[in-house]
Amino acid sequence: QVQLVESGGGLVQPGGSLRLSCAASGSIFRINAMGWYRQGPGKQRELVAGITRDSRTNYADSVKGRFTISRDNAKNTLYLQMNSLKPEDTAVYYCNADVVSYGRYTEYPYWGQGTQVTVSS
């Protein structure tokens, strides 16, 4: 069993910054790709940023230059630094990780419970 727990969400004014964290725990042999997704009100869940185990990254066009994804493999933790936040960034942000557990040979995707980010004045 693997658990992903996000933290760091909250209310911030436009132009402000937040840093999200996602800590993975449980039966983890290796974590491959990780990513942040978000789901705004009335919208579908979308990829915000992804990162491979060797830290190659990709971003949605809407967040390029403002958000930075990173990870600490020793701590099984994923981060998202969000700067210059806009009201349209308001959403529930979810952490995703492709995990190979002990005793298994293939990866399985796990999701966190989500953390609310609200950008408003």
Side-chain angles (χ1 to χ4, degrees):
Q1 191 75 354
V2 173
Q3 298 81 37
L4 302 181
V5 178
E6 300 105 332
S7 60
L11 173 64
V12 64
Q13 292 187 341
S17 298
L18 283 174
R19 189 190 194 210
L20 304 184
S21 298
C22 171
S25 62
S27 180
I28 299 171
F29 173 69
R30 185 180 67 248
I31 301 179
N32 293 329
M34 303 183 81
W36 288 99
Y37 290 73
R38 68 185 180 187
Q39 187 166 14
K43 298 181 180 180
Q44 291 187 331
R45 189 175 297 189
E46 62 175 356
L47 174 67
V48 176
I51 186 168
T52 64
R53 182 167 177 81
D54 58 355
S55 295
R56 287 175 288 133
T57 60
N58 64 284
Y59 296 91
D61 288 342
S62 59
V63 307
K64 282 181 181 177
R66 300 188 297 123
F67 291 10
T68 302
I69 189 171
S70 61
R71 63 190 287 172
D72 185 331
N73 290 334
K75 297 181 179 179
N76 288 333
T77 301
L78 177 70
Y79 304 98
L80 185 68
Q81 178 66 44
M82 304 186 294
N83 298 329
S84 302
L85 282 161
K86 305 175 181 179
E88 51 264 42
D89 294 318
T90 295
V92 178
Y93 283 71
Y94 298 91
C95 169
N96 169 265
D98 292 331
V99 180
V100 179
S101 296
Y102 286 105
R104 296 187 175 182
Y105 299 95
T106 58
E107 64 184 27
Y108 186 84
Y110 290 89
W111 292 88
Q113 81 288 351
T115 185
Q116 177 70 46
V117 172
T118 301
V119 184
S120 175
S121 55

